[in-house]
Amino acid sequence: MLKSDRTEALFAEAKKYTPGGVNTSIRAVDRPLVFARASGSKTYDADGNEYIDYHAAFGPPLLGHCNRRVNQRVFEVLEKIDLIGVGTTELEARVAEKIVEHVPSAEMALMCNTGSEATHHAIRLSRAVTGRRKIIKFQGCYHGWHDYVCMNVITPADRVGKKDPCSAGMLQEAVDNTLVVTFNSLEEVEAVVGENHGEIAAIILEPIPHNIGCVLPQQEFLEGLREICDKEGIILIFDEVITGFRHNLGGYQKICGVTPDLTALGKAIANGYPCAAICGKKELMERFATGGGDVFFAGTYNAHPLSMAAALETIEQLEDGTVHEHIFDLGSALREGLKELVARYRVKAHVTGFGSVFVVYFMDPPVNSYTDLLRNDSERDMAFRWGMVDRGIFMHPMCLKRSHVSAAHTEEDVGRTLEKAAEVLKEIA
Ligand code: PLP
């Protein structure tokens, strides 16, 4: 058993001053967790227990925790400048230039702090440009906490096919104007677009819905969305907050060859420093008020030198391709190893993922949409996750959540992970 005395005491303290003791609702899991240190592929809790970390803060530290070169660049920049809040800096211009260089849809970019801001701006811009109110999102995709999109992510079975707002207090008009469709179903998209002809401003999607693990997109689906958007004058928004930088410097759009009109970026862009961006076609981006347009865009901390330094260093470290080669290799070794174990112990499970991302669903394939995932055995899923955590392998202890490999993970980490997974899967079987 892991030591937990100090963790429990500190967590009890945290709960006195912060509701639930955590600052994001899905950081609350079934047990108290308090972390004290992170380095490379490892995290350490308040009792000194070491974990190989695959949770990776939901994805940002692509180069590994506390990457020395990123931190050094940040310190160097902060010796010289902090937030100025008027005009611009050379750093922010250089980060935008890098985004434009690498991301196919990016002709221009604007920096903000969170993925939620990026998707909010993208949708508001789409409404301004088209003069339409409705948007389409997909069941299982998460695009942040704001009223436009905060619905139908991990929806209970009896609410699938209905509106499932994630929060009380959401504006009814926002909920009404967000239409929810099944991922990978072009027929459903066509039907909804047909029923709402001339009223849809944008279609927003995670090109791979990673908020429910890893549901792989059918190529015809992504191409079909592009065609529908072109035909109907709808803005296509790829939310690449997870897939951007993690799967390719150019995002998943670079891999699938489908170019959206607007892209939201975040998470891995600055290896864990708070940074996000919206980018896209020049003619759309120029509608933002920063360029004299009529779509408001603001944020006290936008393009903070700290985040810009981290983003620039992260992007530069990714440019020669070796990081992606390494994390894709380890990702596939983990998937192959887990598949072999699942077969060896005859566990009803489906191991999947993409690149550095992997997930074990406790069900048979196929997995084409969230509806398929309703067959996931949540009891086994949780038993697997906690079994791994208890053995020093941190996979987020919440059903359907994906795991991530970073540049700091090693073959030795993979070997240890598979050894522990063998013990847990044997127990589950
Ligand atoms: N979009 C996607 C695909 C995400 O996974 C997330 C967060 O998990 C967001 C947007 C929102 O980003 P943030 O939490 O930085 O606001």
Side-chain angles (χ1 to χ4, degrees):
M1 252 339 239
L2 299 174
K3 284 183 289 168
S4 63
D5 295 359
R6 190 159 163 70
T7 292
E8 276 166 36
L10 284 173
F11 201 77
E13 264 310 276
K15 278 170 85 166
K16 283 190 203 160
Y17 309 108
T18 298
V22 296
N23 282 288
T24 280
S25 49
I26 60 170
R27 289 184 194 170
V29 294
D30 302 339
R31 292 185 203 163
L33 291 174
V34 180
F35 286 88
R37 198 156 70 82
S39 175
S41 63
K42 311 283 187 339
T43 52
Y44 303 83
D45 69 19
D47 285 279
N49 298 303
E50 180 189 273
Y51 303 90
I52 298 176
D53 183 29
Y54 292 107
H55 170 49
F58 292 103
L62 181 61
L63 304 171
H65 287 287
C66 295
N67 180 269
R68 187 162 297 147
R69 279 161 59 195
V70 173
N71 285 351
Q72 255 168 11
R73 188 89 171 247
V74 169
F75 299 149
E76 277 163 25
V77 164
L78 291 184
E79 289 287 329
K80 280 197 280 188
I81 190 170
D82 62 1
L83 192 62
I84 306 298
V86 66
T88 191
T89 58
E90 186 182 346
L91 268 174
E92 56 204 272
R94 289 189 51 206
V95 174
E97 184 186 13
K98 287 281 184 202
I99 292 173
V100 169
E101 179 187 339
H102 293 296
V103 180
S105 62
E107 291 172 6
M108 299 194 105
L110 274 165
M111 311 308 301
C112 50
N113 301 288
T114 65
S116 300
E117 289 169 64
T119 61
H120 187 280
H121 289 305
I123 292 167
R124 193 201 261 162
L125 176 64
S126 303
R127 288 189 165 130
V129 168
T130 59
R132 303 170 181 174
R133 295 155 84 94
K134 295 182 183 172
I135 60 164
I136 289 178
K137 85 174 276 291
F138 295 89
Q139 175 66 54
C141 289
Y142 176 68
H143 304 293
W145 48 258
H146 55 84
D147 286 10
Y148 295 170
V149 287
C150 191
M151 50 200 280
N152 294 81
V153 186
I154 298 188
T155 295
D158 61 344
R159 295 207 58 78
V160 173
K162 302 180 185 139
K163 295 284 173 82
D164 178 35
C166 300
S167 177
M170 284 172 64
L171 205 60
Q172 192 56 44
E173 199 192 346
V175 176
D176 292 344
N177 282 302
T178 301
L179 312 176
V180 183
V181 173
T182 305
F183 193 80
N184 271 330
S185 173
L186 212 48
E187 304 74 55
E188 239 183 80
V189 177
E190 274 162 356
V192 171
V193 168
E195 284 156 22
N196 297 274
H197 185 71
E199 292 182 280
I200 312 282
I203 297 180
I204 184 167
L205 67 150
E206 294 179 70
I208 302 179
H210 277 313
N211 275 285
I212 44 172
C214 182
V215 176
L216 294 170
Q218 289 157 6
Q219 181 66 21
E220 322 77 80
F221 173 68
L222 298 178
E223 286 170 7
L225 291 180
R226 182 65 278 177
E227 275 170 34
I228 293 171
C229 287
D230 286 343
K231 196 163 119 225
E232 301 289 332
I234 296 168
I235 306 290
L236 182 61
I237 306 168
F238 274 14
D239 177 349
E240 298 231 38
V241 166
I242 297 173
T243 51
F245 302 92
R246 177 163 286 281
H247 293 338
N248 189 290
L249 253 180
Y252 192 73
Q253 57 196 264
K254 182 93 182 208
I255 296 168
C256 70
V258 175
T259 306
D261 301 299
L262 294 172
T263 301
L265 297 166
K267 296 200 195 282
I269 190 172
N271 206 49
Y273 282 86
C275 182
I278 167 175
C279 57
K281 282 192 179 144
K282 189 163 185 274
E283 73 196 65
L284 300 177
M285 295 293 291
E286 281 182 341
R287 279 289 290 264
F288 279 121
T290 52
D294 56 355
V295 180
F296 194 66
F297 190 91
T300 300
Y301 299 113
N302 285 1
H304 194 294
L306 161 141
S307 313
M308 295 302 95
L312 207 51
E313 178 61 38
T314 303
I315 295 170
E316 283 173 13
Q317 286 194 42
L318 295 175
E319 278 176 332
D320 73 2
T322 51
V323 165
H324 282 108
E325 203 178 308
H326 175 74
I327 60 176
F328 273 52
D329 282 352
L330 293 193
S332 86
L334 278 160
R335 285 189 294 276
E336 288 316 307
L338 287 165
K339 275 180 198 165
E340 205 225 294
L341 293 173
V342 159
R344 188 192 305 165
Y345 298 113
R346 294 172 207 267
V347 180
K348 185 157 120 181
H350 173 52
V351 180
T352 184
F354 184 88
S356 60
V357 168
F358 64 97
V359 62
V360 185
Y361 294 128
F362 288 84
M363 55 181 280
D364 288 325
V367 176
N368 290 315
S369 71
Y370 178 76
T371 315
D372 292 327
L373 293 176
L374 294 171
R375 291 184 279 112
N376 183 51
D377 183 334
S378 47
E379 237 172 78
R380 285 184 156 199
D381 195 343
M382 291 307 287
F384 176 67
R385 288 163 188 274
W386 280 119
M388 294 301 278
V389 172
D390 286 340
R391 288 165 177 80
I393 313 291
F394 204 97
M395 296 179 177
H396 194 56
M398 201 171 265
C399 281
L400 305 182
K401 288 297 168 194
R402 68 202 174 274
S403 288
H404 316 79
V405 177
S406 78
H409 284 84
T410 60
E411 281 178 18
E412 195 189 329
D413 289 334
V414 169
R416 196 157 116 210
T417 303
L418 293 174
E419 207 179 284
K420 301 296 177 192
E423 290 173 23
V424 180
L425 289 168
K426 195 170 165 192
E427 256 177 41
I428 287 177

